[in-house]
Amino acid sequence: MASHDKPRIEIQYCTQCRWLLRAAWLAQELLTTFEEELGAVTLVPASGGTFEIRINNRQIESLIWSRKHEGRFPEAKEVKQRVRDELCPDKSLGHSDVKKPD
């Protein structure tokens, strides 16, 4: 499958809050874990305390994490688990794996 056909992740981060490094670190974690499954991870500058992670998969957009809704930043393993549950539920994440109950 060509990279342009694979799901893409968008990490929107607040530039006023200086959250670029956090967004870039999570992007690197996702690209390392899902190197075969993802077409791209894009960092999108925003404002107003925004920190959101979305998956765009064949015209369907899913919100994976919202700092506003969750009240905190995600741990890398939480984001990986949510991405895995959305894209490839059978993929093992190794020692930090906790699958969503059926």
Side-chain angles (χ1 to χ4, degrees), residues 9 11 22-34 51 53 64-65 72-84 93 95-97:
I9 292 183
I11 302 175
R22 183 183 304 263
W25 170 71
L26 280 171
Q28 176 257 314
E29 288 287 319
L30 291 168
L31 286 168
T32 301
T33 302
F34 300 100
F51 195 89
I53 303 171
I64 297 298
W65 191 274
R72 62 183 177 85
F73 286 103
E75 304 252 347
K77 89 175 195 180
E78 290 175 298
V79 173
K80 290 178 185 182
Q81 288 166 355
R82 290 183 185 190
V83 168
R84 182 273 315 274
L93 295 177
H95 68 280
S96 65
D97 201 10

